[in-house]
Amino acid sequence: MYTIIIQYRSLQVCFKYMATAAIHSFHFHLLKGPATVRALSTIKTSRIEFSIRHTQRLFPLPLHFRRAMSHVNARNDEEASAKAAAANVDSGAPTIFDKIIAKEIPSTIVYEDEKVLAFRDINPQAPVHVLVIPKFRDGLTQLGKAEARHEEILGHLLYASKIVAEKEGILDGFRVVINSGPTACQSVYHLHLHVLGGRQMKWPPG
Ligand code: 5GP
């Protein structure tokens, strides 16, 4: 990779103005590989990163390339925080959702009964994005930990999701998502259902 960058910088010097578009394209492909992005995020002070930053200042990338790169970075952040969250999963430590249930931190509640709480996601991924959670976690840090004794609450959560969709006026089309475990990018280890709607959904999900 080092060699490639040296060659790349030499290219820049040679074709400073003539080959800007080609360099942008090359640069983008260089940054696009997940392994490269991971390397750049971990080797923060390396000459490689400096070289690429410096290059970006000299030749700002077209907007759509920069957008694509920031999407890659956001995805990597998401994966990193999901892995960090998973490290404490078996500690049984309370999560942010316990504070929301106890009303110690504010949330916009959409639906509530004696068993479940539904509130708007702080970082909505659709015009309607509501989280439905059991008030009593009872070992349900994630769906992957479900046992036979959880059948009733699991059914109740699903039915509550339908009530939320009805209240939010998205019964004609909505999606219910459960991320279970770090590979699925779960970040809060208190089982929750994402109820998403209000826009056309795409398939397959990312
Ligand atoms: P996960 O990634 O675990 O499937 O989903 C966790 C969700 O909880 C994320 O969509 C995130 O935006 C949401 N979330 C995290 N902290 C808070 C918070 O303090 N308040 C609210 N309302 N949502 C939160």
Side-chain angles (χ1 to χ4, degrees):
M1 185 173 136
Y2 207 122
T3 316
I4 292 170
I5 286 172
I6 289 166
Q7 283 173 355
Y8 174 44
R9 295 198 68 192
S10 309
L11 259 180
Q12 275 186 295
V13 174
C14 295
F15 299 106
K16 198 168 177 183
Y17 297 107
M18 290 163 57
T20 307
I23 288 170
H24 280 162
S25 165
F26 177 68
H27 193 162
F28 177 67
H29 286 296
L30 187 69
L31 284 174
K32 195 167 77 161
T36 309
V37 173
R38 263 200 303 281
L40 291 180
S41 61
T42 50
I43 313 170
K44 292 257 186 255
T45 55
S46 75
R47 292 178 62 187
I48 295 170
E49 189 185 41
F50 173 79
S51 165
I52 287 177
R53 283 204 174 150
H54 180 66
T55 305
Q56 272 184 357
R57 270 202 304 275
L58 282 175
F59 301 100
L61 292 169
L63 186 61
H64 63 284
F65 282 176
R66 273 182 277 144
R67 278 200 185 131
M69 282 164 58
S70 77
H71 181 71
V72 169
N73 284 338
R75 198 181 60 208
N76 277 4
D77 287 351
E78 218 170 73
E79 288 168 18
S81 58
K83 280 193 183 115
N88 292 326
V89 64
D90 290 323
S91 71
T95 72
I96 192 83
F97 290 173
D98 290 287
K99 292 199 163 139
I100 289 176
I101 293 165
K103 316 254 165 56
E104 285 167 18
I105 62 169
S107 69
T108 308
I109 295 172
V110 173
Y111 172 77
E112 180 173 14
D113 63 28
E114 73 284 2
K115 292 178 186 154
V116 305
L117 183 69
F119 54 95
R120 296 199 192 285
D121 195 295
I122 204 167
N123 182 22
Q125 301 301 313
V128 174
H129 187 171
V130 175
L131 300 173
V132 186
I133 66 172
K135 284 185 171 172
F136 178 42
R137 187 170 61 172
D138 187 25
L140 274 176
T141 49
Q142 56 182 301
L143 186 61
K145 302 274 180 184
E147 296 174 13
R149 68 192 163 90
H150 294 125
E151 268 181 27
E152 191 193 335
I153 186 66
L154 290 173
H156 193 73
L157 285 161
L158 213 47
Y159 185 63
S161 299
K162 180 257 173 181
I163 295 174
V164 166
E166 198 165 30
K167 278 176 167 285
E168 294 292 302
I170 54 167
L171 257 191
D172 59 320
F174 63 101
R175 184 172 287 173
V176 178
V177 174
I178 300 175
N179 298 319
S180 183
T183 313
C185 275
Q186 181 175 1
S187 61
V188 179
Y189 279 84
H190 182 132
L191 177 71
H192 49 282
L193 285 65
H194 297 257
V195 179
L196 298 145
R199 66 166 166 83
Q200 180 60 53
M201 298 288 162
K202 303 272 187 278
W203 195 262

